[in-house]
Amino acid sequence: MREHWCKPLLGTIKCNVDGAIFVDNNATDWATIVRDAMGDFVCCIFGFSQGMLEPFMVEAIVVRVVLLWLRSWHVDGVVLEIDNQQF
């Protein structure tokens, strides 16, 4: 089965969230891509920190940052897409 990105419902936006851990650099990076109901790019939010975190914690932090950011935008109807099955 092939997975692919699907548009969110009309009137909503979709945030794809992901994090990465770089052992060699002792660093953690994360990013989220925000798209509207037409699939058009709205914005990208990214960050990094020194030190390594567990994958679950990286994505938990990213989701918190994204939700706070979206709240400041006063956005309703958000779909968060995360690949971490523990979350």
Side-chain angles (χ1 to χ4, degrees):
M1 185 167 124
R2 203 174 135 195
E3 293 185 36
H4 63 279
W5 188 86
C6 296
K7 294 179 188 178
L9 296 175
L10 194 60
T12 64
I13 62 171
K14 189 173 201 177
C15 299
N16 291 85
V17 175
D18 205 1
I21 299 165
F22 298 95
V23 177
D24 293 343
N25 296 334
N26 190 33
T28 301
D29 294 359
W30 58 268
T32 184
I33 303 293
V34 181
R35 298 185 204 182
D36 65 16
M38 300 303 293
D40 294 330
F41 175 84
V42 173
C43 70
C44 174
I45 309 166
F46 62 92
F48 65 93
S49 65
Q50 286 299 111
M52 295 183 311
L53 300 171
E54 293 294 321
F56 179 83
M57 289 306 298
V58 173
E59 294 202 4
I61 291 168
V62 176
V63 167
R64 182 177 185 277
V65 168
V66 169
L67 290 175
L68 288 172
W69 178 79
L70 289 169
R71 188 171 82 180
S72 74
W73 261 31
H74 305 287
V75 174
D76 291 326
V78 177
V79 176
L80 284 175
E81 192 167 87
I82 304 166
D83 63 358
N84 189 318
Q85 293 181 355
Q86 291 178 331
F87 206 91

